[in-house]
Amino acid sequence: MAVTLAAAATAVASEPIVISCGACQESPSDPFLQYNYEATQRFNTAHERRYHVQVRQNQYANSGGPERLQYYQRLAVADDLPDVFLLNASEIKELRQTGKLRDLTQDLATDISWRDSFAKDVFSALSDDNGRIWAIPQQRDAIGIYYNRDMLASAGYSDFPETWEDFEAAAEKLKAAGHIAIALDGAWSTLLMWSNLIGTHPEANGFLQEGIRYADDYPLNPAVVTATETLKRWHNAGYVNADAFSGDFQNAAAAYLSGEAAMVANGPWMVNTQLRTNAAIEGLYERTGYAPSPGWEPGARGAIVVTGAGWSSGHTANDETAEAVLAFLKFLSSPEEQLEQARLTGARPAVKIEPEAIVASNLEPLGSTLAEQADSLAFTYPHWRVHAPGLFLEAWRNLWPAYVRGELNSETFLQRLANDAGAKPRG
């Protein structure tokens, strides 16, 4: 009997700790989800006697839309969040209010080598005002502007414009030749350009880092007013696509991928998800360049550098399940896995990696070149979504078309944008 009991105890002890992942399902059409799935299999193989990540099917796993937040809010109310899942910065702001997200601050403080392995500023988008960290960064991307080299060359530009004045001059020539100069969508790509215009402005005064949370800063900040009026001017001058208010980035992407538009702003993931697929006309990838934003003065170019999303946990207790959660998060943020993710998706690593390893990995060159440039640009800044109030995107989509059509002046538009977005009064 003693031998039998000992054998039974050994069998129980050898059972792995099982955790759930809400963003690790197989997806041949989505390179991010497919990487997550393959990484999960590697983790399970390496830790088969100790930990096991169970894939939890989730139709909103990598959508990033309002449905995903609502889905996780429902799970939080039911106390049924996955042990590990992905959130973007705006979702974290909302979901942390449920009290059902794990505060990872102490976990990182306990493992100094893990905390110090991350690149500069990657936690800023995933933290709250008190410095508490709610997610482990998935990637750190420098977001730039894709451009068709041949189309710009036909307008007399051998290189991407370095100033906004040159950018508009190129747009005018492209329009005259019958091309769409810049593809916009009234949401994601439009707001990337808004961020670029503000972030490179000498009077921005940290608006994208802080002022965007305060209602008074919108109509009073010269950089915000100038950026907003410049975007409006591009629409009224006819530089953009006809469906530039659609609110769907795929419409902006389609204009570029079809060869109709000369430029579109997006992140490095666009290479593998669209430029190198059948959605793009033949040879477009070879004709595409990827550049930082122009600046308001020569030599004052910039780029959005941001952590797009992070791995959060719905397991708040400190027990053996938490041990498995942290082991999985450390695995996903290891240099080896970050490089593998970069190879498969085009996203940049969120951790520090030796230059020799980057070179040896043969990462996609467009994104890699911009990532290297970003460290020496005059300006780097977050995308609006990192620090904006929770209702910003909805407010922008509702108000932007009316503003461009002249139904609102700049002051009214910016004040209503701030109020409808939920920006706070200063003080």
Side-chain angles (χ1 to χ4, degrees), residues 269-322:
W269 53 84
M270 186 174 176
V271 174
N272 287 351
T273 59
Q274 293 179 309
L275 273 174
R276 283 183 154 172
T277 70
N278 292 334
I281 58 173
E282 185 176 354
L284 182 61
Y285 172 77
E286 290 74 19
R287 299 197 297 274
T288 291
Y290 193 44
S293 158
W296 292 97
E297 301 291 341
R301 303 177 77 178
I304 298 165
V305 178
V306 66
T307 300
W311 291 99
S312 291
S313 175
H315 191 84
T316 57
N318 287 315
D319 55 18
E320 62 179 13
T321 300

Side-chain angles (χ1 to χ4, degrees), residues 155-157 168-179 239:
Y157 288 80
E168 288 202 20
E172 186 62 39
K173 292 178 181 177
L174 289 162
K175 175 195 169 187
H179 302 302
Y239 301 154

Side-chain angles (χ1 to χ4, degrees), residues 172-304:
E172 186 62 39
K173 292 178 181 177
L174 289 162
K175 175 195 169 187
H179 302 302
I180 298 167
I182 176 77
L184 299 176
D185 58 8
W188 171 252
S189 60
T190 300
L191 285 165
L192 287 176
M193 296 308 295
W194 191 67
S195 295
N196 285 327
L197 287 159
I198 294 171
T200 56
H201 198 285
E203 297 181 75
N205 296 324
F207 176 81
L208 294 170
Q209 288 84 357
E210 181 182 5
I212 196 167
R213 293 178 290 183
Y214 298 103
D216 297 345
D217 287 32
Y218 285 63
L220 298 179
N221 190 307
V224 177
V225 174
T226 300
T228 307
E229 292 179 345
T230 299
L231 270 176
K232 176 182 178 180
R233 185 168 67 247
W234 294 351
H235 283 71
N236 292 334
Y239 301 154
V240 306
N241 42 308
D243 54 356
F245 295 142
S246 70
D248 185 351
F249 175 72
Q250 295 310 315
N251 290 336
Y256 184 80
L257 297 173
S258 66
E260 297 177 77
M263 297 174 276
V264 65
N266 200 17
W269 53 84
M270 186 174 176
V271 174
N272 287 351
T273 59
Q274 293 179 309
L275 273 174
R276 283 183 154 172
T277 70
N278 292 334
I281 58 173
E282 185 176 354
L284 182 61
Y285 172 77
E286 290 74 19
R287 299 197 297 274
T288 291
Y290 193 44
S293 158
W296 292 97
E297 301 291 341
R301 303 177 77 178
I304 298 165

Side-chain angles (χ1 to χ4, degrees), residues 8-213:
T10 300
V12 170
S14 65
E15 289 295 314
I17 303 166
V18 178
I19 60 172
S20 60
C21 178
C24 296
Q25 63 206 48
E26 190 171 17
S27 176
S29 63
D30 187 323
F32 282 94
L33 281 180
Q34 185 62 24
Y35 161 75
N36 297 346
Y37 172 78
E38 293 174 7
T40 298
Q41 308 317 303
R42 287 191 291 272
F43 177 83
N44 286 342
T45 299
H47 300 279
E48 61 179 336
R49 293 187 179 276
R50 192 169 184 183
Y51 310 121
H52 181 82
V53 178
Q54 191 173 66
V55 175
R56 185 165 169 177
Q57 295 297 317
N58 171 10
Q59 64 177 313
Y60 307 113
N62 214 24
S63 66
E67 297 84 6
R68 183 169 76 170
L69 174 59
Q70 293 162 9
Y71 168 74
Y72 284 129
Q73 286 172 326
R74 291 194 297 270
L75 293 183
V77 170
D79 201 20
D80 191 32
L81 284 171
D83 294 309
V84 178
F85 56 107
L86 280 168
L87 294 174
N88 63 41
S90 61
E91 291 168 331
I92 288 172
K93 290 177 186 177
E94 299 297 323
L95 205 59
R96 74 185 188 217
Q97 297 175 24
T98 66
K100 301 296 176 65
L101 283 187
R102 184 178 185 85
D103 179 357
L104 294 156
T105 314
Q106 187 57 44
D107 298 316
L108 287 156
T110 300
D111 191 336
I112 302 300
S113 62
W114 185 35
R115 183 195 66 188
D116 291 347
S117 69
F118 290 93
K120 179 183 177 183
D121 297 332
V122 292
F123 290 106
S124 62
L126 309 174
S127 305
D128 62 22
D129 293 343
N130 297 315
R132 292 175 298 183
I133 298 170
W134 300 100
I136 299 302
Q138 182 189 32
Q139 77 252 21
R140 177 182 181 265
D141 289 317
I143 300 176
I145 303 170
Y146 291 96
Y147 64 98
N148 186 313
R149 297 179 188 275
D150 290 355
M151 289 177 72
L152 277 181
S154 70
Y157 288 80
S158 57
D159 295 307
F160 193 77
E162 293 203 5
T163 66
W164 290 115
E165 183 178 2
D166 286 342
F167 182 91
E168 288 202 20
E172 186 62 39
K173 292 178 181 177
L174 289 162
K175 175 195 169 187
H179 302 302
I180 298 167
I182 176 77
L184 299 176
D185 58 8
W188 171 252
S189 60
T190 300
L191 285 165
L192 287 176
M193 296 308 295
W194 191 67
S195 295
N196 285 327
L197 287 159
I198 294 171
T200 56
H201 198 285
E203 297 181 75
N205 296 324
F207 176 81
L208 294 170
Q209 288 84 357
E210 181 182 5
I212 196 167
R213 293 178 290 183

Side-chain angles (χ1 to χ4, degrees), residues 246-419:
S246 70
D248 185 351
F249 175 72
Q250 295 310 315
N251 290 336
Y256 184 80
L257 297 173
S258 66
E260 297 177 77
M263 297 174 276
V264 65
N266 200 17
W269 53 84
M270 186 174 176
V271 174
N272 287 351
T273 59
Q274 293 179 309
L275 273 174
R276 283 183 154 172
T277 70
N278 292 334
I281 58 173
E282 185 176 354
L284 182 61
Y285 172 77
E286 290 74 19
R287 299 197 297 274
T288 291
Y290 193 44
S293 158
W296 292 97
E297 301 291 341
R301 303 177 77 178
I304 298 165
V305 178
V306 66
T307 300
W311 291 99
S312 291
S313 175
H315 191 84
T316 57
N318 287 315
D319 55 18
E320 62 179 13
T321 300
E323 174 191 321
V325 167
L326 293 173
F328 187 47
L329 294 178
K330 290 175 184 179
F331 177 82
L332 291 171
S333 58
S334 66
E336 296 78 13
E337 286 300 317
Q338 288 276 294
L339 281 174
E340 183 62 18
Q341 178 183 250
R343 280 191 288 267
L344 291 177
T345 68
R348 302 296 97 187
V351 300
K352 302 170 188 173
I353 296 179
E354 295 297 327
E356 297 80 8
I358 294 282
V359 172
S361 297
N362 295 316
L363 298 184
E364 198 286 313
L366 288 181
S368 297
T369 301
L370 182 58
E372 293 167 8
Q373 281 183 282
D375 291 333
S376 60
L377 291 172
F379 296 101
T380 56
Y381 35 88
H383 186 263
W384 64 271
R385 122 184 302 175
V386 174
H387 299 295
L391 298 176
F392 183 95
L393 181 56
E394 182 180 358
W396 179 279
R397 281 175 170 157
N398 290 339
L399 296 169
W400 177 245
Y403 171 65
V404 172
R405 290 193 295 262
E407 297 168 20
L408 304 170
N409 63 29
S410 296
E411 182 179 1
T412 302
F413 167 72
L414 289 170
Q415 195 61 70
R416 284 190 58 183
L417 175 65
N419 294 342

